[in-house]
Amino acid sequence: MATSKKHLGKYVDPRTDFGIKFYFGREENKILLIEFLNSLFEGEKVIVDLKYKTVEHDGDQEDMRRVVFDLHCIGSDGEIFIVEFQQLFQEFFKDRAVFYTSRLINKQLAKGKKGNDYHLPEVYFVGILEFDMNGGSNVALSRETDRPYFYDVALCDKHTHEVFYDKLGYKMVSLPVFNKQPKELETIMDQWLYLLKHLSTMDKLPSFLDKRIFGRIFAIGEIGKLKEEDLMSYEASLKQRRDAESVFNSALRSGHAKGKAEGRAEGRAEGLAEGLAEGEHKKAIESATKMLKNGFEVKMISEILGLTIEEVEKLK
């Protein structure tokens, strides 16, 4: 066992599917998710408790697309939080975020309910992204903000910039764009983002991180303390992460994603159409079949290849 752990580092990497759920998705560790969310809200609201809810939601009709969240929680005041960790660039990630929130909002209205009672709970989408929101371009650096790594989005009046509707929000952080050094960490959010980005290379809790908040992560995150089944799941998650990056990069090199890249660079819909036309969908299906045989999760395959979850599941 010791030999297999040697190459893994000392702490579970939160930038893996296993890691994000290990630290944030377990009832006994939910204080970590509460603290992380509060750091993003920066006093805008204070979350005191959370309840974990089902992560799978079928459509209201048979032909509607099913959605699977990474984490789905309800706050003590009834607010809804969707927490998503996205490893690889996805062309329509913003569309996906809006789709996820709209699906949950739609489910809040009881069918056949009379009257005009459209009172809705607060719904928030939180994204932890392992890519630049601008697809690797330098546009993010030109945003008029001293925090180009943080997107804090709400429905606003375009002229006055006043919030038009305060019960729907999107808070997303782009870890590759976050480049602050320890002496530059000014807020708890800064500390969280530094930890998420660098925990896998640390060997102890550094003095510049708040011990009261982050002490638990270092206490539970030691790979040497993992149960055997958790260690196996973590190693599989690391392998999936590396394999997914390899598949994605190979697709870019072979031209599978060429049309998508051109579409991003040129801002033209026809670039995307060219990339998916002339048998590209068939290639994606073939790749998905191979990935399923190698143990990839359906959700990850869907995100990498641009197929729907339903299309991937039919290949099982």
Side-chain angles (χ1 to χ4, degrees):
M1 183 71 68
T3 303
S4 65
K5 294 177 185 177
K6 189 174 181 180
H7 66 285
L8 300 178
K10 186 172 182 180
Y11 297 102
V12 171
D13 190 345
R15 300 171 304 158
T16 59
D17 285 337
F18 174 87
I20 206 72
K21 289 164 186 170
F22 177 78
Y23 291 118
F24 292 146
R26 300 189 179 195
E27 182 69 29
E28 63 269 26
N29 297 331
K30 70 178 179 180
I31 185 60
L32 297 177
L33 180 58
I34 291 172
E35 293 283 3
F36 174 65
L37 292 177
N38 279 331
S39 79
L40 297 184
F41 279 93
E42 302 179 296
E44 174 189 338
K45 70 183 295 85
V46 177
I47 302 159
V48 296
D49 196 13
L50 290 172
K51 291 182 180 179
Y52 292 102
K53 307 293 287 185
T54 180
V55 297
E56 296 191 28
H57 290 263
D58 292 321
D60 294 330
Q61 299 176 12
E62 190 173 332
D63 60 346
M64 289 185 68
R65 182 169 182 171
R66 184 165 65 92
V67 298
V68 183
F69 308 131
D70 284 338
L71 295 174
H72 173 206
C73 307
I74 305 293
S76 55
D77 293 329
E79 63 272 56
I80 299 172
F81 301 94
I82 303 168
V83 182
E84 282 285 300
F85 175 65
Q86 184 70 27
Q87 292 179 353
L88 301 174
F89 179 82
Q90 190 176 66
E91 179 75 20
F92 297 109
F93 183 76
K94 295 175 186 177
D95 301 66
R96 177 178 159 199
V98 173
F99 177 72
Y100 277 12
T101 53
S102 63
R103 172 61 65 85
L104 286 186
I105 290 172
N106 180 62
K107 286 186 173 292
Q108 303 310 307
L109 295 176
K111 294 181 176 64
K113 191 172 183 179
K114 296 181 179 180
N116 295 313
D117 185 6
Y118 283 90
H119 179 72
L120 297 171
E122 300 172 47
V123 178
Y124 299 98
F125 181 98
V126 176
I128 307 169
L129 314 180
E130 273 276 80
F131 57 85
D132 187 332
M133 282 276 282
N134 293 284
S137 71
N138 293 322
V139 179
L141 300 178
S142 65
R143 295 175 64 217
E144 293 183 8
T145 173
D146 58 352
R147 300 190 294 181
Y149 50 84
F150 182 47
Y151 291 77
D152 191 2
V153 181
L155 290 177
C156 296
D157 185 298
K158 291 171 70 174
H159 300 287
T160 66
H161 304 294
E162 294 176 334
V163 175
F164 171 75
Y165 183 74
D166 62 358
K167 295 199 295 182
L168 175 63
Y170 302 85
K171 296 180 184 291
M172 290 176 266
V173 293
S174 179
L175 293 181
V177 183
F178 180 82
N179 294 312
K180 287 190 175 184
Q181 300 303 308
K183 62 181 180 182
E184 300 174 297
L185 306 180
E186 300 175 347
T187 66
I188 296 298
M189 185 203 300
D190 286 347
Q191 293 186 39
W192 268 110
L193 300 189
Y194 187 92
L195 181 78
L196 290 175
K197 190 169 182 176
H198 299 287
L199 178 59
S200 63
T201 63
M202 294 179 177
D203 57 10
K204 65 179 180 179
L205 172 61
S207 60
F208 55 81
L209 294 183
D210 192 314
K211 193 172 296 186
R212 296 165 300 177
I213 296 176
F214 302 106
R216 184 173 181 82
I217 287 183
F218 285 84
I220 68 174
E222 287 190 39
I223 290 173
K225 295 180 180 179
L226 292 180
K227 298 177 181 178
E228 185 173 355
E229 58 267 30
D230 283 339
L231 177 61
M232 292 175 63
S233 295
Y234 177 51
E235 290 185 298
S237 185
L238 277 175
K239 183 178 185 302
Q240 281 199 347
R241 173 190 171 94
R242 293 162 184 159
D243 289 349
E245 290 174 347
S246 176
V247 169
F248 185 76
N249 291 332
S250 295
L252 286 175
R253 287 194 297 270
S254 67
H256 176 74
K258 182 179 180 182
K260 291 184 179 182
E262 290 174 353
R264 289 196 300 271
E266 300 173 12
R268 299 191 317 228
E270 58 264 34
L272 177 60
E274 290 172 7
L276 297 178
E278 298 179 1
E280 289 302 324
H281 184 265
K282 182 179 178 182
K283 290 181 182 178
I285 293 294
E286 292 173 354
S287 297
T289 302
K290 293 178 182 178
M291 293 171 75
L292 280 171
K293 290 180 180 178
N294 284 289
F296 280 77
E297 295 179 359
V298 170
K299 184 181 177 186
M300 180 177 287
I301 296 172
S302 170
E303 293 170 357
I304 294 172
L305 299 176
L307 300 171
T308 66
I309 287 176
E310 289 77 9
E311 285 178 310
V312 179
E313 288 185 332
K314 287 179 181 178
L315 302 174
K316 288 184 176 180

